[in-house]
């Protein structure tokens, strides 16, 4: 069974540009999460999808971030326009159901904004 | 919300030594997980352990839910064990709350 995959593994963009990160969850997992670790700080939650619906987006930092999960399969996270403070590692995770089930993490996308 | 605290923040050991990392959480949890972030930034799932004890090779973990802590043991440390170790917990909402991490450095 394939794990959670993320693309790209690393992205370097200039301030003001747009970047789109992609996450493919484990097949059959309705729950998809985005987290990020910036500036060597702790990893923080961004948002949670159940199928194609946003269940909780309380961690999204501002309206420069837009997440979608069309069709309830893969998800994209767009940053537009990117700022220097957006640099960090963005992780995607998926789980089979709710109730505190184990979340399986992808390898992450390292975003560098210069 | 739930608070997750890890100790120590930094740990430097020689290859072959054993180490114990601690994770305290402020309330009862439905989920507790341990991760290793390697030098390339990838987050590796180690254990899903809301209670009890699990072992995987040189690594083992114990969670005492009633006392609100979890321990990660690494025996016979190798240089490849270096990196940051995170624990994370869920109480009611579905989002994992992460601790600040323990940076482990294993010197040859």
């Amino acid at each position: 069974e394939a794990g959670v995959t993320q693309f790209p593994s690393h992205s370097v963009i200039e301030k003001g540009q747009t970047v789109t990160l992609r996450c493919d969850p484990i097949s059959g997992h309705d729950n998809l999460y985005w987290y990020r670790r910036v500036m060597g700080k702790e990893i923080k939650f961004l948002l949670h999808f159940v199928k194609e619906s946003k269940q909780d987006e309380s961690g999204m930092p501002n309206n420069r971030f837009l997440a979608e999960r069309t069709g309830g399969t893969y998800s994209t996270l767009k940053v537009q326009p990117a700022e220097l403070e957006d640099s960090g590692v963005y992780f995607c995770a998926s789980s089979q159901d709710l109730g505190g089930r184990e979340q399986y993490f992808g390898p992450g996308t390292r975003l560098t904004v210069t | 919300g739930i608070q997750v605290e890890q100790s120590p923040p930094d740990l430097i050991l020689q290859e072959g030594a054993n180490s114990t990392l601690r994770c305290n959480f402020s309330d009862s949890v439905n989920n507790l997980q341990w991760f290793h972030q390697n030098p390339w930034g990838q987050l590796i799932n180690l254990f899903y352990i809301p209670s009890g004890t699990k072992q995987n090779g040189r690594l083992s973990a114990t969670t005492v839910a009633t006392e609100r802590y979890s321990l990660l043991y690494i025996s016979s440390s190798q240089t490849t064990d270096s990196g940051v170790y995170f624990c994370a917990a869920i109480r009611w909402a579905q989002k994992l709350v992460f601790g600040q991490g323990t940076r482990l450095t294993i010197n040859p």
Side-chain angles (χ1 to χ4, degrees):
Chain A
E1 176 184 279
V4 177
T5 57
Q6 294 187 243
F7 182 83
S9 57
H10 191 187
S11 179
V12 181
I13 61 172
E14 294 182 352
K15 176 182 173 180
Q17 291 185 323
T18 298
V19 63
T20 300
L21 314 181
R22 173 172 169 142
C23 168
D24 286 77
I26 293 173
S27 178
H29 282 193
D30 288 339
N31 296 277
L32 186 148
Y33 312 82
W34 284 98
Y35 295 83
R36 72 172 183 175
R37 187 184 187 204
V38 297
M39 303 294 288
K41 297 183 179 177
E42 64 262 36
I43 300 169
K44 289 202 169 177
F45 167 84
L46 295 178
L47 87 159
H48 169 209
F49 284 99
V50 177
K51 296 184 180 179
E52 66 274 10
S53 300
K54 292 177 184 175
Q55 182 78 10
D56 180 355
E57 51 184 328
S58 61
M60 294 288 265
N62 52 61
N63 58 11
R64 295 186 295 104
F65 290 75
L66 175 64
E68 295 180 324
R69 192 182 182 194
T70 306
T73 54
Y74 70 91
S75 174
T76 58
L77 180 65
K78 179 188 289 188
V79 185
Q80 179 182 28
E83 298 289 345
L84 298 179
E85 63 263 26
D86 300 331
S87 295
V89 184
Y90 289 75
F91 297 102
C92 174
S94 71
S95 68
Q96 190 166 18
D97 52 26
L98 301 179
R101 296 290 185 181
E102 181 174 8
Q103 295 184 17
Y104 298 86
F105 277 69
T109 293
R110 179 176 293 277
L111 175 63
T112 304
V113 183
T114 62
Chain B
I2 191 169
Q3 306 295 317
V4 179
E5 295 185 356
Q6 293 185 242
S7 60
D10 291 279
L11 186 58
I12 301 174
L13 298 171
Q14 290 297 121
E15 199 168 24
N18 300 330
S19 56
T20 301
L21 284 59
R22 187 177 179 103
C23 173
N24 292 332
F25 39 93
S26 60
D27 213 329
S28 58
V29 297
N30 294 324
N31 173 1
L32 188 128
Q33 295 185 233
W34 282 96
F35 301 90
H36 174 214
Q37 187 174 29
N38 64 25
W40 296 271
Q42 297 172 329
L43 202 62
I44 310 299
N45 290 38
L46 296 178
F47 293 103
Y48 167 71
I49 188 165
S51 64
T53 297
K54 290 186 177 179
Q55 181 158 6
N56 184 4
R58 296 182 297 104
L59 274 61
S60 64
T62 295
T63 296
V64 184
T66 53
E67 297 187 21
R68 300 178 186 169
Y69 72 88
S70 183
L71 301 174
L72 177 68
Y73 305 97
I74 306 174
S75 64
S76 304
S77 300
Q78 301 176 358
T79 56
T80 51
D81 295 329
S82 295
V84 183
Y85 289 79
F86 291 99
C87 71
I90 288 176
R91 176 158 166 72
W92 297 121
Q94 294 307 306
K95 51 189 176 185
L96 280 168
V97 176
F98 283 78
Q100 311 95 312
T102 291
R103 179 174 297 279
L104 178 64
T105 303
I106 304 297
N107 292 322

